[in-house]
Amino acid sequence: MQRTCLDAYCNTFNSYGAMLGYHEEQSKRSLWVRSKVNDLQVEPLGKTSPLFSDLSAFAVGTTREAVDDTADNLGLAIRVDGNLYPARTTAYKSLLERARIGGTSLSKLSKEVLAEVVNACLGLYSADALLLVRDEKVSAVHSGAETDYSVLPVDELLTVLKEKLDARFPGHEFGQGYCDHSLVSASWTMPAQKEDLLGTYIRLLDSQGRSAMASKLMSGIRFTSSDTGVASAKVSALLTGGRYSIHIGNCISIDHRHQSTVSDFAGSLDQLFAQFGDSVAKLKKMAEVYLDYPVNAMTRVCKKLCMPKKAALEAIAMFEMSYGDGPATAHDVFLAMQEIPFILKSEKAPESKLLALEENMARAVSLKWNDYDLAKAVGY
């Protein structure tokens, strides 16, 4: 079984109870440490560094495996509040932000020189930093100002989300949960509310000859959050039941900033649930938008949304084979675009990349599709 100290660690959950229990335990063993930026000290931790062979130099509880893994990855350690911890790759971006430096040249430096440069820059600033120490390593070095990073514990977010689902969507079902050191996600479906939320849309699909898809379709939501600065705490509306989940636009999002609280997150959920019907209505309206040049429109929209080129071109080619030069609706094109995350998933793309892609693709629901329906072809 993979050790949680490894940078590549990830986990999946098939029940809400298992996921909640994991994150409750994670919250207990997580340490949030405040420090002055200029009190932080970065040290090299490559395989030739003196620290590599001196396990006693690290904070109590640091294992040989955590040190070895860090030497294979970021190759740095951070001393904070008198304790030295290996630094996770997830901490690198926020560490450079505290030092107010960046650029591609940094990655080309030796770990010894990189540590010297970062330390010199950290020493210039007396601002507060908020460090997350989790699973034996520093996982993030956030800004510690009162109005900057706000800690929103995942177990508490999951608890209030479940309470809201119990009240609004009785009979809801947990789909799957996922976590790694940068991101957490979980999904639910609402089978008991299928007719209320999707009835008219399902009948539209039936009329278009998509009865197989309509019979499997289910309304759902996806929750995502991050303690390392990758994502805000958010919940998105989904359609599930096919071979891929489809984001349909609306989401609520609470940033880990400006003294945000779990109560703020809970309050925003009511807004998302109230707008679920509006999201489905937008999807239905796309079926009324006829395109004369759907392949060109799909290409332009994929380019507009910065879809991964290789997967997008493959999906566009599949759509062109199905429709040829004939007309299609914006709804047809949007469904064809869902092949992109499916292609990436089959190629073992990271879960964090897939979630970001699906969320970005949901923007297509609100686009003015006729603006992209042009005779002139466009290169990707």
Side-chain angles (χ1 to χ4, degrees):
M1 183 177 178
Q2 224 181 12
R3 287 282 305 276
T4 57
C5 67
L6 301 180
D7 281 15
Y9 172 81
C10 63
N11 199 357
T12 56
F13 308 92
N14 293 319
S15 72
Y16 169 77
M19 186 169 188
L20 178 63
Y22 174 87
H23 287 288
E24 286 176 337
E25 288 302 313
Q26 186 186 69
S27 289
K28 292 176 184 177
R29 67 176 186 262
S30 297
L31 181 64
W32 292 91
V33 183
R34 291 193 179 274
S35 171
K36 293 295 183 183
V37 170
N38 55 12
D39 286 340
L40 299 176
Q41 186 72 25
V42 178
E43 300 192 27
L45 186 52
K47 291 188 175 179
T48 60
S49 304
L51 281 176
F52 181 73
S53 57
D54 186 9
L55 192 59
S56 65
F58 293 91
V60 174
T62 305
T63 62
R64 180 77 256 165
E65 193 169 11
V67 172
D68 289 348
D69 184 63
T70 303
D72 288 333
N73 289 287
L74 185 58
L76 297 175
I78 301 176
R79 190 177 299 279
V80 54
D81 201 21
N83 292 306
L84 184 66
Y85 301 95
R88 198 177 303 287
T89 52
T90 57
Y92 186 56
K93 181 176 181 291
S94 54
L95 175 64
L96 295 185
E97 287 172 351
R98 302 291 75 74
R100 303 187 190 183
I101 55 175
T104 57
S105 296
L106 293 174
S107 62
K108 300 175 182 179
L109 300 176
S110 69
K111 299 305 180 184
E112 288 74 18
V113 174
L114 177 60
E116 289 180 8
V117 171
V118 174
N119 283 331
C121 295
L122 290 173
L124 299 174
Y125 304 105
S126 60
D128 290 328
L130 178 64
L131 292 84
L132 169 60
V133 180
R134 174 177 289 164
D135 296 318
E136 304 180 44
K137 299 186 182 185
V138 173
S139 294
V141 189
H142 298 300
S143 170
E146 287 296 324
T147 56
D148 283 339
Y149 194 82
S150 302
V151 179
L152 300 174
V154 171
D155 56 321
E156 295 181 26
L157 295 173
L158 287 171
T159 298
V160 298
L161 175 55
K162 176 69 161 54
E163 290 171 354
K164 289 287 185 177
L165 286 170
D166 288 343
R168 179 66 176 82
F169 300 110
H172 61 81
E173 297 177 359
F174 184 82
Q176 188 178 61
Y178 170 86
C179 75
D180 57 31
H181 285 300
S182 64
L183 191 72
V184 174
S185 72
S187 61
W188 283 262
T189 58
M190 291 87 85
Q193 290 77 30
K194 180 172 181 174
E195 174 60 30
D196 289 343
L197 295 174
L198 300 179
T200 56
Y201 180 61
I202 287 172
R203 286 185 279 278
L204 170 67
L205 293 176
D206 283 331
S207 70
Q208 294 179 339
R210 291 190 168 105
S211 297
M213 176 183 177
S215 65
K216 297 176 182 177
L217 212 58
M218 199 80 66
S219 55
I221 62 165
R222 174 170 285 141
F223 160 79
T224 57
S225 188
S226 170
D227 287 333
T228 59
V230 171
S232 55
K234 65 180 68 174
V235 179
S236 307
L238 294 180
L239 295 181
T240 69
R243 48 182 192 165
Y244 35 70
S245 296
I246 303 175
H247 279 253
I248 55 175
N250 283 345
C251 77
I252 63 99
S253 179
I254 299 296
D255 288 334
H256 291 254
R257 297 187 64 194
H258 307 303
Q259 298 177 311
S260 297
T261 66
V262 173
S263 295
D264 294 329
F265 175 76
S268 297
L269 290 172
D270 294 325
Q271 177 185 346
L272 173 74
F273 297 156
Q275 292 177 349
F276 201 104
D278 294 338
S279 298
V280 176
K282 287 182 181 179
L283 200 59
K284 286 174 51 188
K285 194 169 183 63
M286 293 175 70
E288 302 171 4
V289 180
Y290 288 89
L291 305 171
D292 293 321
Y293 310 98
V295 173
N296 291 354
M298 183 174 178
T299 305
R300 285 187 169 86
V301 168
C302 285
K303 190 172 182 179
K304 164 77 174 177
L305 299 180
C306 301
M307 295 290 103
K309 183 176 181 179
K310 181 176 177 292
L313 289 176
E314 187 174 340
I316 291 167
M318 292 169 64
F319 177 72
E320 189 169 17
M321 287 178 62
S322 299
Y323 280 81
D325 295 327
T329 67
H331 180 263
D332 295 326
V333 175
F334 181 68
L335 292 183
M337 286 173 60
Q338 306 307 315
E339 289 292 338
I340 298 173
F342 183 76
I343 291 167
L344 292 176
K345 187 172 184 177
S346 67
E347 295 174 351
K348 310 297 183 185
E351 187 75 10
S352 56
K353 182 176 181 179
L354 292 172
L355 292 174
L357 173 73
E358 291 172 7
E359 183 179 320
N360 188 32
M361 194 155 50
R363 293 166 51 205
V365 175
S366 300
L367 292 177
K368 294 182 179 179
W369 280 81
N370 292 121
D371 292 347
Y372 302 89
D373 185 32
L374 306 174
K376 184 177 179 181
V378 58
Y380 205 97

